[in-house]
Amino acid sequence: MSEHPNPADLEAFARGSLPPGVLRAVARHLLRGCRSCSALLASFFGGLGPVPGSEASPESSRAYNEALARSSSVLRFHLRYHRSEEIRQRKVAALLQAGGGLKALIDRSEIGLHGLGVLKALLDRSWAIRHENPKEMVELVRFAVRVAGNLDQRWHGEKDAADWQARAWGEFGNALRARDDYDEAERAFGTAFSFLLQGSGDLRLKARLYDLHASYLGARRRFDLAFTALDIVHSTYLELGEAHLAGRALLVKALYTFYGNKPEEAMRINNTGMALIEEHQEPDLIFMGIHNQLFFRVGCGQFIEARKEFFRNLRRFKNLGCMHQLKIRWLDAQINAGLGKWQRAEQGFLYVVKGFEQKEMGFHAAFASLELALVWMNQGRYAETQEIIPQVYEAFVSLGIKEAYGAMMVLKEAFEKQMGTVELLEEVVDFLRRWFINQNERFVPRGE
């Protein structure tokens, strides 16, 4: 602790109600012999008067020393607990990184799957694999919620336990959002915020939950609420001195601004956000910003500019994780299709369709399949298009995306009757792209 603890922390220290992390810092500061803080602390021990060394009665000094000794004893027990949990965290992290997921961890019965160390390892691992294995991410963070709900009350006060439950439920909501399970995600976020209200009021935790929830709000196309949440996140992270995380909030806001049909403003916000990001600290955020710029240009039909920007950033696309590779290959395929480079576009769409299917990302796989069909139609490959359309129709039905049923039924029947055209397929693809942004969108065939 580089500065003196504030009076509120000292009073909480005297009552024994400080969170473990703050408790350790305050106790170490006091044990280093800070006379001013010790004097202030003394006033909280029943009006015991001045600290030893000043003009105080022997009884007052003795009572003060006994109280400080009790706090030091509590500190030692907490330090012992946290050291053991740090060891457990390293063991669990190593097992998870070795592969096998949650099952491999459960099979190792000698490691008790409880406590703060296990919780931290689960949350860290689930976040680390968010771009590679969304399914395992959900499994790990679902288990983390159980662990968070059973933290030992001897080491975690009510507010500290509530903080950890808020964090776990928030990460769970985000994992569900990433898997397109919006209803369960909404319930998880509701639980997270209820625990946040019971917690310590930690600003970092609040910013984290608002950040994750903004992504959920954006996925549900509630952009006004998402913008408000992101503005809070941005200002809070700036207040905390976390400029790169403040930049991330702007990157997300830029994406939702683009969805709101404001491409120029979206690009401006995105550039402002990228200027705040330190690439060495969080390379994923730079990728996010570059992906946004490419996505905006493709969405505006600026394929030549998108191609130039793609090649300018080619070195940054090396050694990307699987999900980042899928996203960038999808954009590359869309750029090639926009430029009429059909063979390259076909190779790209085939790659991403297979990848999205393996990741169980049904909507993305179905939509990319329609883009692949459009490439085939532009090459005059009617039979292959005719074969894939019913498969895509079944995919949308299995996903329960009822808003797509009408458009897909028209498309399916047209190709069954040899009446399918490039224009009709383009119309359906354009509708689904608009529906993804605004889910109140309805399909109305041209001419009606």
Side-chain angles (χ1 to χ4, degrees):
M1 179 172 289
S2 59
E3 298 179 354
H4 298 282
N6 61 51
D9 283 346
L10 288 172
E11 184 176 5
F13 179 84
R15 293 197 311 266
S17 60
L18 269 180
V22 182
L23 173 69
R24 290 198 300 271
V26 170
R28 284 170 179 155
H29 182 81
L30 291 168
L31 291 172
R32 282 198 292 268
C34 178
R35 294 182 63 81
S36 61
C37 288
S38 296
L40 185 57
L41 180 66
S43 66
F44 298 121
F45 285 104
L48 294 178
V51 296
S54 62
E55 294 183 4
S57 68
E59 293 80 7
S60 176
S61 296
R62 183 167 54 254
Y64 171 81
N65 287 332
E66 288 174 357
L68 189 56
R70 286 196 301 272
S71 294
S72 298
S73 178
V74 171
L75 168 68
R76 286 193 293 272
F77 279 113
H78 274 282
L79 288 176
R80 191 178 304 162
Y81 167 72
H82 283 280
R83 278 196 294 267
S84 67
E85 289 305 308
E86 286 169 1
I87 293 170
R88 199 200 305 261
Q89 180 181 356
R90 288 195 293 270
K91 287 181 178 178
V92 172
L95 282 172
L96 290 173
Q97 195 166 5
L102 186 59
K103 183 181 183 303
L105 183 61
I106 293 173
D107 289 344
R108 295 292 297 269
S109 58
E110 75 276 11
I111 298 179
L113 297 182
H114 56 80
L116 189 60
V118 173
L119 176 58
K120 287 181 176 180
L122 289 167
L123 293 177
D124 288 348
R125 180 62 180 171
S126 68
W127 183 253
I129 62 172
R130 67 193 185 281
H131 298 307
E132 312 306 317
N133 197 331
K135 183 179 180 181
E136 185 180 339
M137 177 190 184
V138 172
E139 291 175 352
L140 292 177
V141 77
R142 191 189 297 273
F143 193 79
V145 164
R146 290 174 52 189
V147 176
N150 290 288
L151 291 175
D152 196 326
Q153 293 181 358
R154 292 175 299 172
W155 313 116
H156 301 276
E158 290 184 7
K159 291 185 181 297
D160 186 53
D163 282 351
W164 282 111
Q165 290 192 75
R167 170 74 188 279
W169 277 100
E171 299 292 343
F172 186 37
N174 183 60
L176 292 166
R177 186 272 312 166
R179 286 287 305 276
D180 299 332
D181 191 345
Y182 297 134
D183 290 338
E184 192 175 356
E186 185 169 25
R187 290 190 290 272
F189 278 117
T191 304
F193 283 113
S194 69
F195 278 118
L196 181 68
L197 292 173
Q198 301 170 41
S200 66
D202 182 77
L203 278 181
R204 291 181 186 277
L205 175 60
K206 177 184 174 181
R208 176 68 174 172
L209 289 186
Y210 273 59
D211 195 357
L212 297 178
H213 192 235
S215 294
Y216 163 78
L217 292 170
R220 298 306 296 261
R221 292 348 185 213
R222 300 172 187 169
F223 294 130
D224 288 344
L225 286 173
F227 288 151
T228 301
L230 289 167
D231 287 341
I232 294 171
V233 172
H234 177 253
S235 63
T236 302
Y237 277 133
L238 287 179
E239 181 182 344
L240 292 169
E242 299 281 6
H244 66 290
L245 292 177
R248 181 190 184 280
L250 291 182
L251 298 187
V252 178
K253 186 175 182 178
L255 184 62
Y256 300 156
T257 300
F258 180 79
Y259 286 159
N261 200 29
K262 298 177 181 177
E264 291 183 2
E265 184 179 351
M267 290 186 184
R268 179 187 61 76
I269 294 172
N270 198 67
N271 287 330
T272 302
M274 288 188 71
L276 292 173
I277 293 166
E278 299 175 16
E279 185 170 2
H280 68 278
Q281 187 166 351
E282 203 153 356
D284 272 1
L285 293 187
I286 287 294
F287 172 83
M288 183 178 177
I290 295 169
H291 181 274
N292 275 1
Q293 291 293 86
L294 289 169
F295 180 71
F296 299 161
R297 293 199 182 282
V298 169
C300 292
Q302 299 174 4
F303 298 111
I304 294 175
E305 294 85 350
R307 169 58 63 210
K308 291 176 181 177
E309 195 152 344
F310 186 93
F311 280 115
R312 276 199 301 271
N313 290 285
L314 205 56
R315 65 175 181 82
R316 288 192 167 103
F317 302 150
K318 295 179 180 178
N319 303 318
L320 291 175
C322 181
M323 284 304 300
H324 282 345
Q325 284 283 1
L326 284 174
K327 288 179 179 179
I328 209 65
R329 286 290 295 272
W330 197 6
L331 280 172
D332 186 39
Q334 291 171 334
I335 293 169
N336 282 319
L339 294 173
K341 298 182 178 180
W342 305 122
Q343 188 174 358
R344 291 184 182 179
E346 178 186 4
Q347 291 172 351
F349 286 128
L350 285 169
Y351 177 89
V352 299
V353 168
K354 182 179 179 181
F356 286 137
E357 287 175 344
Q358 290 174 343
K359 296 296 180 184
E360 299 182 10
M361 298 178 71
F363 175 82
H364 295 75
F367 188 78
S369 294
L370 284 181
E371 292 180 302
L372 173 62
L374 193 52
V375 168
W376 285 342
M377 283 292 287
N378 276 283
Q379 294 176 290
R381 295 159 64 178
Y382 196 93
E384 289 163 285
T385 306
Q386 194 175 32
E387 183 179 347
I388 201 174
I389 293 298
Q391 298 172 20
V392 178
Y393 169 78
E394 292 298 332
F396 278 107
V397 170
S398 66
L399 289 167
I401 303 176
K402 295 180 181 179
E403 295 85 352
Y405 288 0
M408 290 306 303
M409 287 178 70
V410 169
L411 189 66
K412 176 173 172 285
E413 189 165 346
F415 275 91
E416 284 175 350
K417 295 182 176 181
Q418 306 288 321
M419 295 168 59
T421 62
V422 171
E423 291 74 21
L424 176 60
L425 188 49
E426 284 177 341
E427 190 176 350
V428 172
V429 169
D430 182 61
F431 157 70
L432 288 172
R433 187 174 286 116
R434 286 184 282 109
W435 173 83
F436 183 73
I437 295 171
N438 176 12
Q439 295 181 5
N440 293 319
E441 191 77 27
R442 294 295 178 266
F443 179 69
V444 179
R446 290 171 188 163
E448 294 189 12

